[in-house]
Amino acid sequence: MTSREFRECLDRYGSDLERWPDGQRAVGRAFAGTAGGRRQLDAARAFDALLAETLPVPEPIGLKERILANLSAAGRPIDLASWLFAPLWRPVALAVAPLALGFTVGFTYPETDSLEEAVAVIAFTEIEEAVGADSDGEF
C-alpha cells in the first residue's frame, strides 16, 4: 500500500482500522506501522476527535413533517393543469414562445434559394400592396 492509498482509505473509512474492509485492514495495519503511516493515522485520529467535539447541528424546524407530507403526496395523481400552469413554467413559456413563432413563420414562408431573392419578394409584395391600394389593383 502506498502513502496515497493509505490516505485515501483513511478518508474513506476513517481512522479506526477495525472498521476498514477485510482486504484492506491487514495492509492498512502494516502501513500504519511505518513512520509515514503513523503520522497519517495520528492526523486522521486528531481530525476525528475534532469532529467529535463539535456541537450537533439541530434539524430544521418542521423538516420531518415536510418530508412525511411529501411522501404521502407522492401517492396522489398529478394534477396536470396545476403542473402546467405553475410559476416555474412561466419563464420557460416566455422564452419558448418567440422561438415557436419564428419556427412557424420560417416554415410557412415560401422557400427561396437566396437571401436577396427573399428580400426582393418581401419588398415587391409591399410595393404591390401599396400600389394596388392606390390604383385599384392596376399597374
Side-chain angles (χ1 to χ4, degrees):
M1 177 175 276
T2 65
S3 177
R4 181 179 179 173
E5 291 171 338
F6 186 70
R7 185 174 49 247
E8 287 175 0
C9 287
L10 284 171
D11 290 341
R12 190 172 296 133
Y13 307 117
S15 62
D16 185 7
L17 298 179
E18 295 300 318
R19 299 180 78 188
W20 286 25
D22 293 332
Q24 295 180 338
R25 186 180 308 140
V27 179
R29 282 188 187 133
F31 190 80
T34 66
R38 174 57 61 198
R39 279 193 307 272
Q40 288 182 13
L41 185 59
D42 289 342
R45 286 181 176 159
F47 183 72
D48 287 346
L50 182 66
L51 287 178
E53 291 176 6
T54 61
L55 295 174
V57 178
E59 70 178 43
I61 297 173
L63 176 65
K64 183 177 180 180
E65 290 79 17
R66 289 192 311 252
I67 291 172
L68 291 175
N70 285 338
L71 287 175
S72 65
R76 291 185 301 205
I78 297 174
D79 179 22
L80 186 61
S82 65
W83 185 77
L84 285 175
F85 298 109
L88 170 72
W89 290 102
R90 289 183 187 134
V92 174
L94 290 174
V96 171
L99 294 173
L101 178 64
F103 187 75
T104 304
V105 169
F107 270 104
T108 58
Y109 194 74
E111 291 186 29
T112 57
D113 292 335
S114 67
L115 179 63
E116 293 85 15
E117 192 174 325
V119 171
V121 167
I122 293 171
F124 286 122
T125 303
E126 290 177 2
I127 292 172
E128 186 176 304
E129 289 173 358
V131 171
D134 291 339
S135 64
D136 297 331
E138 298 178 11
F139 287 102

